[in-house]
Amino acid sequence: MKFFHLSDLHIGKQLHHYSLREDQREILGQVTEYARQLHPDAILIAGDVYDKSVPSAEAVRLWDEFLTGLSRISPRIPILIISGNHDSAERLQYASALLKGQKIYLAGEVTEQGMTRVTLTDEYGDVTFYLLPFIKPSHVRHLFPGEEPETYTEAVEKLIRNQNIDFINKRNVLISHQFYRGISDPETCDSEIFSVGGLDQVDASVIRKFDYAALGHLHGAQSVGEEKIRYCGTLLKYSVSEASHQKALHLVTLGEKGDPLKIEKLTLHPLHEVRKKKGTLSELLAEVSPDERNDFISITLTDEEELYKPREQLDQVYSHILEVRIENTRTRRKLEELDETVKIQSPAEAFGEFYQKMQGTRMSEEEERFMDEIFEQVKGE
């Protein structure tokens, strides 16, 4: 069985102050064209369809264009979609019962029955896809009276265990949008949002029995411990920290139970690249290729002398400048002369200090966990 794995579309996002509407329309059009040419057995979208929980009207129109284009491919390709932490679960799930008749399966929330399941069939038998939208422990505690999960790992583990999945004989694919962590820390980007103190981390061992885990949330394509547990990354670069990424559309081939899976990365061609350039002002003004002029550019100037209106001069050459930084002997010396590092505390750290000053003692582990959950709930609101 072959399927596309994509995630984190972030429709409606801006890169610094530049709209990405046309960039997103172009890249989603390329995904649709690949779907027409290759006709996968399914398309999995692992959360963060929108960049904001209340998307703009033009973002909703672009998402509608994308779904409509995919649904017009004949024979119809099943599309499986979950909500991410940026999405409004209720809004994304709108008309899900109606769309199910068009082979578009939406899972915005976990139901009383647990995860939404979609079963497809190929020459080797059934493949069951489990749709697990972004969850917090508080979202699912009502499903486990008397043994409520306290951590993100426990919440995911209990949901999976409650499904009574046949991992021995059947092929099973998980679609999930969480921050999974293996033995080592995964690569993260500036454009991602994480919880205070890593509270939202999920131990990847709880999903290792799946034949493939199609993950969303991290913007860099990478596996988590095993090749079958994989973040596909974004289709576009959404921060300067992603400038070196090679974005691609993942085509996954799942063979017979127990066979190694195959992952192909299909080339994508963005309207604008994201680049970093470093050098003196004269170098950056002189050494410009035609391709770079309209790309999104992060510039670091290394001139030692004071410059006359460097941004205005650079604007004459580059049409989409994201930022201009200065890095030279003077700026490095200023940093070295700082007597103390400015530390930005998290809400939990600030409250912990306040509590200790007022009570004369530190919070207990149970109290710290309780406050972490409160800050998470406030952030979610």
Side-chain angles (χ1 to χ4, degrees):
M1 180 168 291
K2 294 188 175 185
F3 52 84
F4 287 170
H5 170 198
L6 54 149
S7 75
D8 295 85
L9 307 182
H10 287 282
I11 298 175
K13 186 175 180 63
Q14 290 189 331
L15 182 55
H16 290 226
H17 56 282
Y18 294 107
S19 169
L20 294 176
R21 181 181 63 247
E22 293 309 316
D23 298 75
Q24 291 179 329
R25 175 173 283 116
E26 171 64 26
I27 218 70
L28 293 175
Q30 292 178 31
V31 173
T32 303
E33 188 55 35
Y34 271 126
R36 287 196 189 96
Q37 293 173 10
L38 303 176
H39 206 282
D41 297 298
I43 297 173
L44 318 184
I45 303 177
D48 279 357
V49 167
Y50 294 114
D51 191 54
K52 297 179 179 178
S53 59
V54 183
S56 65
E58 71 177 20
V60 174
R61 281 195 296 270
L62 183 52
W63 172 238
D64 178 63
E65 287 176 20
F66 180 50
L67 274 189
T68 300
L70 292 176
S71 65
R72 286 175 176 166
I73 298 172
S74 182
R76 199 180 295 275
I77 303 171
I79 306 171
L80 288 61
I81 308 160
I82 63 170
S83 63
N85 58 302
H86 279 254
D87 298 312
S88 163
E90 296 85 355
R91 287 183 174 87
L92 190 66
Q93 197 162 287
Y94 174 74
S96 58
L98 180 64
L99 292 171
K100 187 176 179 180
Q102 307 299 314
K103 294 189 176 181
I104 299 175
Y105 303 91
L106 290 164
E109 300 174 298
V110 173
T111 68
E112 295 297 325
Q113 291 73 41
M115 290 184 277
T116 299
R117 287 183 286 184
V118 178
T119 300
L120 304 176
T121 305
D122 65 6
E123 63 268 33
Y124 300 116
D126 291 345
V127 177
T128 302
F129 295 84
Y130 291 85
L131 280 63
L132 176 58
F134 174 75
I135 60 164
K136 298 179 180 180
S138 58
H139 294 169
V140 297
R141 284 191 182 129
H142 67 285
L143 300 177
F144 306 100
E147 51 178 30
E148 294 86 354
E150 296 296 330
T151 67
Y152 280 71
T153 295
E154 288 177 4
V156 173
E157 186 177 29
K158 286 179 181 293
L159 280 171
I160 292 172
R161 193 190 315 139
N162 208 40
Q163 297 294 142
N164 296 316
I165 302 171
D166 182 359
F167 286 112
I168 298 175
N169 303 301
K170 300 291 185 181
R171 292 173 296 163
N172 304 282
V173 174
L174 176 70
I175 311 172
S176 179
H177 191 98
Q178 304 285 159
F179 182 24
Y180 288 96
R181 187 181 183 278
I183 296 174
S184 58
D185 291 329
E187 178 191 346
T188 60
C189 305
D190 294 342
S191 53
E192 299 155 352
I193 295 176
F194 301 106
S195 295
V196 173
L199 185 70
D200 57 351
Q201 292 182 4
V202 179
D203 189 332
S205 64
V206 301
I207 61 173
R208 67 183 304 272
K209 290 183 179 180
F210 285 92
D211 297 277
Y212 185 73
L215 307 181
H217 192 36
L218 300 189
H219 291 186
Q222 60 195 292
S223 59
V224 184
E226 302 177 63
E227 186 67 7
K228 67 177 184 177
I229 303 175
R230 170 158 285 274
Y231 288 100
C232 63
T234 53
L235 300 174
L236 288 169
K237 299 174 183 179
Y238 286 137
S239 69
V240 174
S241 64
E242 298 169 55
S244 62
H245 289 189
Q246 298 297 316
K247 302 297 186 180
L249 173 63
H250 283 53
L251 173 62
V252 181
T253 302
L254 196 64
E256 195 170 6
K257 180 72 177 181
D259 287 350
L261 55 84
K262 179 182 179 183
I263 299 175
E264 300 173 69
K265 296 181 180 180
L266 308 177
T267 304
L268 296 170
H269 303 282
L271 281 180
H272 305 93
E273 264 292 353
V274 175
R275 302 181 190 274
K276 291 181 180 180
K277 291 187 71 69
K278 184 176 181 178
T280 64
L281 179 60
S282 60
E283 289 171 345
L284 297 183
L285 292 174
E287 300 170 5
V288 185
S289 69
D291 293 340
E292 293 175 340
R293 289 182 178 272
N294 293 316
D295 284 341
F296 295 115
I297 306 291
S298 168
I299 292 174
T300 300
L301 294 173
T302 59
D303 298 85
E304 292 294 337
E305 69 276 9
E306 291 288 346
L307 299 171
Y308 177 73
K309 295 185 177 180
R311 178 61 188 254
E312 286 80 350
Q313 294 185 61
L314 290 165
D315 281 335
Q316 300 299 313
V317 176
Y318 302 100
S319 62
H320 294 81
I321 296 176
L322 300 177
E323 59 187 359
V324 178
R325 299 169 178 266
I326 304 293
E327 183 181 305
N328 55 25
T329 305
R330 186 174 61 258
T331 57
R332 284 193 295 270
R333 189 184 303 119
K334 284 183 179 179
L335 289 174
E336 292 169 358
E337 289 172 353
L338 290 175
D339 292 327
E340 56 184 43
T341 303
V342 177
K343 183 177 182 294
I344 301 176
Q345 290 183 311
S346 69
E349 290 171 332
F351 183 82
E353 283 192 8
F354 172 76
Y355 182 94
Q356 187 167 358
K357 288 179 181 178
M358 299 301 295
Q359 301 296 329
T361 183
R362 294 184 60 181
M363 290 189 290
S364 67
E365 290 185 6
E366 183 179 358
E367 289 170 332
E368 287 179 350
R369 186 166 58 248
F370 179 72
M371 291 307 301
D372 283 341
E373 291 173 3
I374 289 177
F375 289 125
E376 274 297 293
Q377 292 171 9
V378 170
K379 189 175 111 177
E381 292 298 324

